Amino acid sequence: MMERRLGGISARVLGLFWVCLLLWTPTGGDITCRHCHARIRQIERGVTQPPSGVDQRRIAREVLPNSSGGEEDEDEEDAQQPSVLKKHIHGGHEPRRGFSSWETPANPTNRDGNVRRVHKPNSGPRGHRAPQKVSRVKREQDGVRGKEIMLPSDPSQEDPYPVDGQKVKRSELKGSREEGRFTRARSEELRLSSTSFPLTGDSAHNQAMVHWTGGDNSSVILILTKLYDFNLGSVTESSLWRSTDYGTTYEKFNEKVGFKTVLSYLYVSPTNKRKIMLLSDPEVESAILISSDAGATYQKYRLNFYIQSLLFHPKQEDWVLAYSLDQKLYSSMDFGRRWHLMHERITPNRFYWSVTGLDKEPDVVHMEARTADGHAHYITCRIQECSETTRSGPFSRSIDTNSLVVQDDYVFIQATSGGRASYYVSYRREAFAQIKLPKYSLPKDMHIISTVEKQVFAAVQEWNQNETYNLYISDTRGVYFTLALENVKSSRGLEGNIVIDLYEVAGIKGVFLANKKVDERVKTFITYNKGRDWRLLQAPDTDLKGNPINCLLPFCSLHFNLQMSENPYNSGSISSKATAPWLIVASGNVGPELSATDTNMFISSDGGNTWKIIFEEEFNVWFLDWGGALVAMKHTSLPVRHLWLSFDEGRSWSKYGFTTSPLFVDGALVEPGLENHIMTVFGHFSLLSEWQLIKVDYRSIFNRKCNENDFESWHLHNQRDFCVMGERKTYRKRRPGSKCLLGKDYLRTITEPCLCSHWDFECDYGYERHGKNQCTPAFWFNPLSTSRDCSQGQSYFKSSGYRRIVSNNCTDGLREQYSARPQQCQGKAPQGLQLSTSDGRLGVQYGQNVTFLVQLEEGDVQRINVQLDFGDGSAVSYANFSKIEEGIKHAYKHSGIYQVTAYAENNVGVDSAVLYLHVTSPVEHVHLRIPFVAIKNKELNVSAVVWPSRPGTLTYFWWVGNNTKPHITLDSSISLTFNTEGTHTVTVQVSAGNSIIQDTKEVAVHEYFHSQLLSFSPNLDYHNPDIPEWRQDISRLIKRSLIQVTNIGEENILVAMFPGLPTSAELFILPHTNVTERRRGSKGDLEQISEILFSALNQNLIMFELKPGVQVFVYITQLTLAPLVDNTSSHSSSAMLMLLSVVFVGLAVFLIYKFKRKIPWINIYAQVQHDKEQEMIGTVGQTDNTPKISLSDFTDPEELTDKELDTRVIGNISTIANSESTKEIPNCTSV
């Protein structure tokens, strides 16, 4: 927003009175629609900022009627007046202001024939915005960035404020060519009948909603103003105003709705505009106020949920759907008095009422619902019978979220399989068929633009496109699409939605304008036959001054901003009306490409064939009296006093005053219906004034009703070709210049069919155009292929490569030549058999249903036998494909990898397809087995134990240290070698189906170490809960006690507790980490540390207090003094000594214990295998990552095997017991 500052003080919000309207709001998603839900448009007051570099005192003089300098000059808003002082607006958008016809349609179709927005609605009553992707035919007006503004001055004097040291005289007023120069004084100017009414007391309110209610020709207008606190995110004040005299006066209704009631939204029934709904602000209370007499009286009903959006039935005035903030859908059949919960998990804005003539019951609701596991499904049910048993699913499989679109005769959904999206359509509620785009279009995104006239217009972004879309047009059933136009410009709207630059001219069938990107330049093209042929627009011959415009096709042409109004009170950059189809008004420029600057206003009075300039700046232009007259207002941020009217289709314009004081225009409301004789303009006279509502009555300028002499004929044509879409059309219209009122039955059309010609036919699916009229098969298409539904003995229509454009009414001529011809169906072997799962996944958990899809590209599906072998010993067979269209379901009882094979066979041939399905069981825990301490450069075995024990095929990812790439195996064990000393982290991740679990352990790597088994006093077993956290804490207690008694460094001690009972542990004595002496000397240090620790343990000096009164002593269980593993070359002698020690057990014990320092070359291997979990405790910093369990928690047969492998010690020599699952011995001693 822009802020106007006066005298350095920031002025308060100007009141850019963006007015809110009940509209049929569109939805969004991967497939988007042009209409879906009723929404009231809410726009907030803007803040205006002075032009950069302009003296603020001067602005105050020139824009404020009460400022020193007098009232604003009468012609300051003149369309063609040059600026006295030109500066650019900085600091943000300048919001557009304007008007639009006030109308809330009873059904989602656009009454003026324009292509509706394909749009995902923002929010609902609380302004919440739904996330998905949004698309629509472009209607945004992004405001004016860097637009020049013009400051008024006294027309009779020089500017008293010099610019750059010079006085600037007022420029001559430029008008339209026919009108010439305006010189009349203010007292002589043309005036419109108008009245003004201030909304007293609501100047602080910054939001408003306005609706003309009470039905056609009603005089009732409702206005809801409110103060929205952006810091609190809620409405803090509100006022309701009501007028019964077309806006001449208003009455404040706060007393009738309750002084303490804070209202947030206003809704009006589209089928009975006398019925009003008001929603209270949910931050205060959840309630609804209902009126059945056009807002005269209200009844209040409290709700137990918070409404986000409402959707009214297109026919039944009392039927309403309400979507809550917690994504539940409610229904009411008495206009909101009672509500019934329909479903608890509905995708935002993906619910639709039934379509008359298509759905069996009028109260059917189409919904995109989500299951508990997050999958979306398309379901239907009746509003009062929507239980789990009564809901039906027209599409049996899950669909992509935010993809359901129900629009006219069609239902669209999207389902992704194997990473590729597939689109499906149901025509007139028939079975779904997959949409066929050209084979290699490979769409990334798809938006439904139009579904009128029994044909689908879609915008598709293909795999090689980023900023553009291709336009495709379908056959009647919406299945087969052919290319209409490539590289159509797209952009992001204000809500982040996708905007396609395409506009359909109202009232003329088959006429579209589109902005296409050609060699990085955007150009405007027009078609008169629904996209078969496109051409550039010829620029006007002259400008407003009559000077020739040199613009030669194709290097120069006319280009338009194809923006329909985002604000319903703004005409937008292009507009047309069904009751005056020959008139098109648009803003754009002449040149080699579309430009954001140098914008002029253009008009065509012959359906887009020729154009002329009407204004040299941006204007809002609306149609009055059935389109027989035009009214324009300059698009400016300055106050205005005048409107421009034309009665001769834009050839000349007359300026009328509608207010005595200049008005900052914030919005307008036009009388509903087609006659459009009354307009209410909203704004304010100054920065500090109240809101002003000015009623403008145009009836006084029409002096009589039209008679036959006031009409003439107009023939629709395309560059003088009077056959458009296969017919000649002649319209009766008011003769330009006649100021007479049209009657409701004035529009008469005479239609005659034409003979079919080349331009009445487009290329059929699978064919591409070469030259102007020749359609040839694409390289990927086989024109000899027959329909899948064609059975032997039957006939089908073989395409000639051409198809008549849908809704083209030509007859005879070339119709027979280009029509499809009947052919006999021939017996053909099945080809292109495809087998897949419904969700595209090749992994499933056992016990769950998996749905297999069997599809055939070519062959007689009615006479082909289908067999599916599931690979687990079971199979099914079907006589034809008709019974398996929804898929074949099967559940596997055991995990494993299964080869699933499909066969298709007839008397001519056979085809098959295979897929491999991985069936897994849930993996709940993984335990990483690894030694606590390892020897440098010695291979050790690491294994992972998974529970449950038979989960199926598993993938193991082994991460060692800081490696960025894992080792990937299908085996549960791996051998590792560490080349450096220190602490190393090992992580294993186990992947089973869609789940991944992991465990992490640390291992201390040294060249040598000592180890000692420890035991405890029996009372510790009583307090042992046998959980990892307890063992870690006890390990720390033991280590702390050892350090306190012996004063040995913390880095030299590692204590590891074993799980299970009796409680036991292992003490590791480690060398110094920063040893700089010789290795042998370091071993000597380790011997000294060992003696100190063993002495303390033997003297029962190591104890700790578990809790008050419970003391636990630590004892030596077994001592292995000789080195277990060393990187010296004395292993052969150690092996010999081991054999000798077995013979002389007693002697070895005595010699080793007593003379251990004198025999350093003896190496005795003592390897202890435990069946219990190995955990690293203390300074090594082991982390037990979730999920972890101890081996004692496992009940598989391995447990019994491990428990039998206990360490038996003969004297001082340990025997070796190997485990089935762990090859590396986890506990080692070394000197």
Side-chain angles (χ1 to χ4, degrees):
M1 292 185 181
M2 293 169 288
E3 183 180 0
R4 182 181 303 275
R5 298 179 178 274
L6 301 179
I9 301 176
S10 176
R12 66 184 180 85
V13 173
L14 283 179
L16 178 58
F17 185 56
W18 295 74
V19 194
C20 304
L21 171 66
L22 261 177
L23 291 176
W24 287 96
T25 305
T27 65
D30 291 331
I31 306 180
T32 54
C33 67
R34 74 170 189 271
H35 58 258
C36 296
H37 303 259
R39 183 182 64 168
I40 297 179
R41 185 162 300 280
Q42 171 172 289
I43 310 174
E44 301 158 6
R45 280 192 170 190
V47 184
T48 308
Q49 180 178 358
S52 174
V54 180
D55 191 298
Q56 296 179 5
R57 293 172 299 175
R58 180 179 177 186
I59 294 177
R61 181 191 67 82
E62 294 181 304
V63 301
L64 298 179
N66 296 326
S67 302
S68 61
E71 190 178 0
E72 172 249 9
D73 175 62
E74 66 172 272
D75 292 330
E76 53 78 25
E77 84 286 12
D78 192 300
Q80 308 305 327
Q81 174 185 334
S83 61
V84 174
L85 175 63
K86 296 187 178 181
K87 293 290 181 180
H88 290 281
I89 296 176
H90 298 281
H93 284 347
E94 175 194 350
R96 284 200 64 146
R97 300 177 176 87
F99 321 116
S100 175
S101 173
W102 175 266
E103 181 178 23
T104 303
N107 55 66
T109 58
N110 192 342
R111 293 186 178 180
D112 59 10
N114 292 337
V115 179
R116 280 290 191 186
R117 298 177 297 168
V118 183
H119 163 65
K120 182 173 184 178
N122 71 0
S123 69
R126 299 190 68 183
H128 296 267
R129 290 195 174 135
Q132 12 176 328
K133 183 171 44 179
V134 185
S135 175
R136 64 179 178 276
V137 176
K138 188 165 186 178
R139 296 187 64 180
E140 278 81 12
Q141 182 61 46
D142 295 334
V144 181
R145 296 178 184 262
K147 181 188 183 316
E148 293 181 342
I149 65 171
M150 294 179 288
L151 301 180
S153 62
D154 193 317
S156 61
Q157 298 178 1
E158 293 181 344
D159 192 340
Y161 292 88
V163 179
D164 296 332
Q166 298 180 359
K167 292 186 177 180
V168 181
K169 292 188 176 181
R170 181 179 182 86
S171 300
E172 293 181 349
L173 178 65
K174 293 185 295 182
S176 62
R177 181 182 177 187
E178 293 80 359
E179 189 178 12
R181 190 175 299 171
F182 280 96
T183 58
R184 63 175 59 94
R186 178 176 300 180
S187 59
E188 299 174 355
E189 71 177 2
L190 298 174
R191 296 285 301 171
L192 291 170
S193 175
S194 64
T195 58
S196 178
F197 186 88
L199 296 183
T200 305
D202 288 352
S203 60
H205 292 190
N206 53 11
Q207 292 182 347
M209 303 176 189
V210 185
H211 197 95
W212 204 305
T213 184
D216 294 338
N217 299 321
S218 171
S219 61
V220 179
I221 302 175
L222 290 178
I223 300 180
L224 173 62
T225 66
K226 52 187 179 178
L227 174 59
Y228 184 85
D229 191 318
F230 291 94
N231 294 323
L232 298 177
S234 62
V235 178
T236 57
E237 294 179 15
S238 67
S239 295
L240 182 65
W241 299 81
R242 184 173 184 263
S243 172
T244 58
D245 52 9
Y246 292 95
T248 303
T249 59
Y250 289 85
E251 179 185 359
K252 201 168 187 177
F253 264 48
N254 285 20
E255 181 180 357
K256 295 188 177 181
V257 299
F259 284 113
K260 295 184 179 180
T261 301
V262 179
L263 303 175
S264 62
Y265 267 78
L266 164 68
Y267 286 91
V268 179
S269 171
T271 53
N272 183 355
K273 294 182 180 180
R274 294 182 57 82
K275 292 193 172 183
I276 313 295
M277 273 192 187
L278 297 173
L279 301 184
S280 65
D281 187 78
E283 297 295 333
V284 179
E285 62 177 339
S286 180
I288 188 171
L289 288 85
I290 298 174
S291 173
S292 299
D293 52 8
T297 59
Y298 293 90
Q299 293 177 307
K300 189 174 184 178
Y301 297 88
R302 297 191 180 275
L303 305 175
N304 58 1
F305 62 96
Y306 297 100
I307 295 177
Q308 178 173 327
S309 62
L310 296 176
L311 180 63
F312 296 89
H313 194 279
K315 299 295 182 182
Q316 300 291 332
E317 62 184 50
D318 289 335
W319 293 3
V320 188
L321 296 177
Y323 187 73
S324 67
L325 291 176
D326 55 356
Q327 299 187 344
K328 296 179 181 179
L329 187 65
Y330 297 83
S331 64
S332 174
M333 301 186 72
D334 54 6
F335 203 70
R337 292 170 176 82
R338 291 171 296 179
W339 295 92
H340 171 72
L341 177 63
M342 294 187 64
H343 202 286
E344 293 186 348
R345 292 182 297 271
I346 299 296
T347 304
N349 305 301
R350 297 294 177 173
F351 49 93
Y352 309 84
W353 279 111
S354 61
V355 178
T356 304
L358 296 178
D359 294 290
K360 294 181 180 180
E361 304 292 341
D363 62 343
V364 169
V365 179
H366 303 261
M367 299 175 286
E368 181 183 300
R370 300 186 309 280
T371 56
D373 58 2
H375 290 97
H377 292 269
Y378 167 36
I379 64 173
T380 60
C381 63
R382 302 181 66 180
I383 56 178
Q384 296 298 322
E385 301 176 5
C386 198
S387 62
E388 292 289 344
T389 58
T390 58
R391 297 168 185 165
S392 62
F395 192 77
S396 60
R397 292 142 43 198
S398 62
I399 65 175
D400 292 351
T401 304
N402 285 321
S403 70
L404 174 65
V405 172
V406 180
Q407 190 166 303
D408 297 327
D409 292 345
Y410 305 90
V411 179
F412 302 93
I413 56 174
Q414 173 182 317
T416 298
S417 176
R420 181 178 296 182
S422 297
Y423 303 93
Y424 297 86
V425 61
S426 169
Y427 175 64
R428 298 189 65 82
R429 306 303 184 263
E430 297 174 357
F432 277 92
Q434 185 172 351
I435 289 177
K436 298 293 184 180
L437 293 166
K439 187 173 183 180
Y440 295 106
S441 63
L442 305 179
K444 296 189 299 184
D445 191 20
M446 182 176 184
H447 302 278
I448 303 303
I449 293 179
S450 172
T451 54
V452 297
E453 298 178 344
K454 298 188 180 300
Q455 190 174 39
V456 181
F457 238 120
V460 176
Q461 188 172 63
E462 302 187 5
W463 64 274
N464 57 352
Q465 293 178 308
N466 293 317
E467 298 179 353
T468 61
Y469 282 72
N470 289 348
L471 291 180
Y472 284 90
I473 194 166
S474 76
D475 59 352
T476 300
R477 296 180 63 245
V479 176
Y480 293 96
F481 283 77
T482 58
L483 183 64
L485 185 64
E486 291 183 298
N487 295 322
V488 178
K489 177 180 174 290
S490 70
S491 59
R492 289 282 178 181
L494 298 178
E495 301 168 3
N497 50 300
I498 297 296
V499 179
I500 308 298
D501 270 21
L502 178 70
Y503 179 80
E504 182 177 10
V505 177
I508 307 179
K509 182 171 56 178
V511 181
F512 290 84
L513 291 102
N515 283 333
K516 177 181 178 180
K517 201 169 187 179
V518 182
D519 298 329
E520 300 304 319
R521 289 183 170 183
V522 177
K523 300 175 181 287
T524 301
F525 290 78
I526 190 170
T527 178
Y528 285 83
N529 52 10
K530 258 193 176 179
R532 182 196 184 276
D533 300 295
W534 297 84
R535 60 176 173 84
L536 294 168
L537 296 173
Q538 178 64 58
D541 295 330
T542 61
D543 60 13
L544 278 178
K545 297 178 181 179
N547 300 321
I549 297 177
N550 298 318
C551 186
L552 181 64
L553 292 173
F555 309 103
C556 175
S557 59
L558 180 59
H559 312 286
F560 293 140
N561 298 301
L562 301 180
Q563 300 171 347
M564 296 176 65
S565 177
E566 172 73 7
N567 176 5
Y569 309 99
N570 187 331
S571 67
S573 61
I574 184 168
S575 58
S576 59
K577 199 171 187 66
T579 54
W582 49 87
L583 290 179
I584 309 173
V585 181
S587 66
N589 65 280
V590 174
E593 63 179 329
L594 180 64
S595 173
T597 60
D598 191 26
T599 301
N600 299 321
M601 298 299 298
F602 299 85
I603 191 170
S604 174
S605 58
D606 57 2
N609 285 277
T610 61
W611 299 83
K612 56 179 174 286
I613 301 178
I614 55 175
F615 300 113
E616 290 182 342
E617 295 180 81
E618 284 193 85
F619 272 67
N620 291 305
V621 181
W622 305 270
F623 296 83
L624 295 178
D625 190 34
W626 298 77
L630 300 173
V631 60
M633 179 182 287
K634 186 178 178 181
H635 175 203
T636 177
S637 60
L638 297 178
V640 299
R641 295 180 48 251
H642 300 95
L643 296 170
W644 296 70
L645 275 75
S646 175
F647 299 92
D648 54 5
E649 299 175 347
R651 293 180 177 87
S652 63
W653 294 83
S654 300
K655 186 172 66 174
Y656 288 80
F658 71 95
T659 175
T660 57
S661 299
L663 181 75
F664 289 95
V665 176
D666 297 327
L669 183 67
V670 182
E671 179 186 7
L674 298 174
E675 297 180 7
N676 301 341
H677 294 146
I678 297 178
M679 174 188 290
T680 301
V681 182
F682 306 89
H684 51 283
F685 290 137
S686 70
L687 298 175
L688 303 178
S689 68
E690 302 285 352
W691 280 347
Q692 298 291 326
L693 307 181
I694 299 179
K695 170 188 172 184
V696 182
D697 193 340
Y698 294 99
R699 287 175 294 185
S700 60
I701 62 177
F702 297 98
N703 48 27
R704 57 184 176 82
K705 287 190 176 182
C706 296
N707 54 44
E708 288 299 324
N709 296 328
D710 294 311
F711 295 99
E712 66 179 13
S713 297
W714 175 73
H715 302 277
L716 173 63
H717 65 94
N718 175 17
Q719 293 183 322
R720 309 308 297 173
D721 181 358
F722 293 95
C723 284
V724 177
M725 291 294 290
E727 58 190 10
R728 294 183 182 89
K729 276 194 172 183
T730 303
Y731 295 86
R732 187 178 78 151
K733 68 174 185 176
R734 179 165 48 187
R735 193 180 301 276
S738 297
K739 292 186 179 180
C740 60
L741 285 172
L742 296 171
K744 292 185 179 181
D745 58 347
Y746 94 95
L747 187 63
R748 297 174 186 175
T749 305
I750 300 175
T751 303
E752 298 177 2
C754 296
L755 294 178
C756 291
S757 185
H758 298 286
W759 47 79
D760 296 313
F761 294 85
E762 61 189 358
C763 291
D764 204 349
Y765 175 77
Y767 290 81
E768 297 173 341
R769 179 174 296 134
H770 292 267
K772 278 193 173 182
N773 302 313
Q774 185 179 6
C775 295
T776 58
F779 74 94
W780 51 265
F781 181 72
N782 180 12
L784 301 179
S785 62
T786 59
S787 171
R788 295 174 61 255
D789 300 325
C790 188
S791 298
Q792 189 172 0
Q794 297 179 345
S795 62
Y796 72 100
F797 285 94
K798 179 177 176 56
S799 173
S800 64
Y802 303 83
R803 69 184 185 192
R804 190 171 62 163
I805 298 171
V806 176
S807 71
N808 186 295
N809 295 323
C810 71
T811 59
D812 301 329
L814 298 178
R815 182 176 181 179
E816 183 66 24
Q817 176 182 341
Y818 286 154
S819 296
R821 294 175 175 80
Q823 297 283 338
Q824 286 295 120
C825 297
Q826 302 296 327
K828 189 174 182 179
Q831 293 183 7
L833 186 66
Q834 299 176 356
L835 177 62
S836 62
T837 59
S838 60
D839 56 6
R841 300 175 181 174
L842 298 180
V844 65
Q845 292 186 2
Y846 81 94
Q848 293 183 351
N849 278 328
V850 56
T851 302
F852 294 98
L853 302 179
V854 184
Q855 298 174 326
L856 187 66
E857 291 184 357
E858 296 184 14
D860 182 1
V861 295
Q862 299 299 325
R863 295 174 179 267
I864 293 179
N865 178 270
V866 183
Q867 182 178 351
L868 186 62
D869 185 349
F870 298 109
D872 61 350
S874 60
V876 293
S877 181
Y878 298 90
N880 53 54
F881 275 78
S882 61
K883 296 182 179 180
I884 61 173
E885 291 181 351
E886 300 297 330
I888 303 172
K889 293 184 178 181
H890 184 68
Y892 290 87
K893 298 181 180 179
H894 303 285
S895 58
I897 303 177
Y898 296 89
Q899 176 179 310
V900 186
T901 308
Y903 301 93
E905 183 179 7
N906 62 5
N907 57 358
V908 181
V910 63
D911 195 9
S912 63
V914 177
L915 67 77
Y916 296 90
L917 187 70
H918 293 245
V919 180
T920 60
S921 61
V923 177
E924 299 183 11
H925 302 285
V926 60
H927 169 64
L928 179 61
R929 286 182 172 179
I930 188 171
F932 297 110
V933 184
I935 300 299
K936 176 183 175 183
N937 294 324
K938 179 176 176 59
E939 186 177 87
L940 74 154
N941 187 70
V942 180
S943 62
V945 181
V946 177
W947 186 86
S949 60
R950 295 179 179 84
T953 304
L954 302 178
T955 304
Y956 297 85
F957 300 86
W958 306 90
W959 304 82
V960 181
N962 296 324
N963 291 348
T964 58
K965 294 184 179 180
H967 301 283
I968 303 175
T969 67
L970 296 178
D971 193 4
S972 61
S973 63
I974 188 174
S975 296
L976 300 176
T977 301
F978 297 98
N979 300 321
T980 58
E981 294 189 65
T983 301
H984 296 264
T985 302
V986 179
T987 299
V988 62
Q989 291 181 322
V990 183
S991 174
N994 297 326
S995 63
I996 297 179
I997 58 176
Q998 76 174 33
D999 189 15
T1000 300
K1001 294 290 174 64
E1002 290 182 341
V1003 56
V1005 178
H1006 296 277
E1007 288 194 30
Y1008 47 87
F1009 62 89
H1010 285 180
S1011 68
Q1012 171 66 51
L1013 295 179
L1014 303 177
S1015 58
F1016 306 91
S1017 52
N1019 59 345
L1020 183 60
D1021 292 345
Y1022 178 78
H1023 299 282
N1024 186 354
D1026 199 19
I1027 60 175
E1029 293 84 353
W1030 184 87
R1031 290 191 289 270
Q1032 289 181 6
D1033 290 337
I1034 297 300
S1035 297
R1036 283 191 287 268
L1037 281 175
I1038 298 171
K1039 183 174 182 178
R1040 189 183 308 130
S1041 179
L1042 287 168
I1043 294 173
Q1044 290 175 351
V1045 172
T1046 64
N1047 291 323
I1048 293 175
E1050 183 178 350
E1051 72 276 5
N1052 298 119
I1053 300 175
L1054 174 64
V1055 179
M1057 299 289 296
F1058 297 130
L1061 296 173
T1063 307
S1064 60
E1066 186 167 8
L1067 170 64
F1068 292 94
I1069 306 169
L1070 306 177
H1072 293 286
T1073 57
N1074 55 350
V1075 173
T1076 57
E1077 301 177 0
R1078 297 177 57 197
R1079 176 174 174 271
R1080 186 173 299 275
S1082 298
K1083 286 186 176 181
D1085 294 340
L1086 193 63
E1087 293 287 348
Q1088 294 178 4
I1089 296 174
S1090 300
E1091 278 194 358
I1092 296 173
L1093 290 172
F1094 296 158
S1095 175
L1097 288 167
N1098 289 330
Q1099 297 179 41
N1100 294 335
L1101 299 178
I1102 308 303
M1103 60 171 291
F1104 59 89
E1105 188 175 54
L1106 191 64
K1107 63 180 182 178
V1110 179
Q1111 291 184 338
V1112 178
F1113 290 88
V1114 184
Y1115 308 102
I1116 292 178
T1117 300
Q1118 173 188 356
L1119 177 64
T1120 57
L1121 300 180
L1124 172 68
V1125 178
D1126 203 335
N1127 58 358
T1128 65
S1129 59
S1130 58
H1131 293 293
S1132 60
S1133 60
S1134 65
M1136 180 64 68
L1137 288 175
M1138 179 177 288
L1139 294 176
L1140 294 175
S1141 64
V1142 172
V1143 179
F1144 304 98
V1145 174
L1147 179 61
V1149 171
F1150 177 79
L1151 291 175
I1152 293 171
Y1153 185 76
K1154 188 170 183 63
F1155 305 102
K1156 55 188 175 181
R1157 295 192 179 187
K1158 301 177 182 180
I1159 315 176
W1161 47 269
I1162 297 179
N1163 292 312
I1164 297 180
Y1165 293 73
Q1167 300 179 347
V1168 184
Q1169 172 62 38
H1170 295 272
D1171 66 313
K1172 303 172 183 179
E1173 178 186 11
Q1174 315 274 317
E1175 298 184 37
M1176 190 172 303
I1177 312 297
T1179 58
V1180 176
Q1182 174 185 357
T1183 58
D1184 287 279
N1185 290 1
T1186 305
K1188 284 186 179 179
I1189 61 171
S1190 65
L1191 296 185
S1192 59
D1193 295 332
F1194 290 76
T1195 57
D1196 58 273
E1198 288 185 3
E1199 180 181 19
L1200 299 177
T1201 304
D1202 289 342
K1203 287 187 176 181
E1204 293 174 357
L1205 304 176
D1206 205 355
T1207 303
R1208 294 177 174 84
V1209 180
I1210 303 175
N1212 68 335
I1213 302 175
S1214 299
T1215 61
I1216 302 173
N1218 291 325
S1219 168
E1220 291 182 0
S1221 59
T1222 305
K1223 297 179 182 179
E1224 179 69 22
I1225 305 304
N1227 298 327
C1228 308
T1229 64
S1230 176
V1231 182

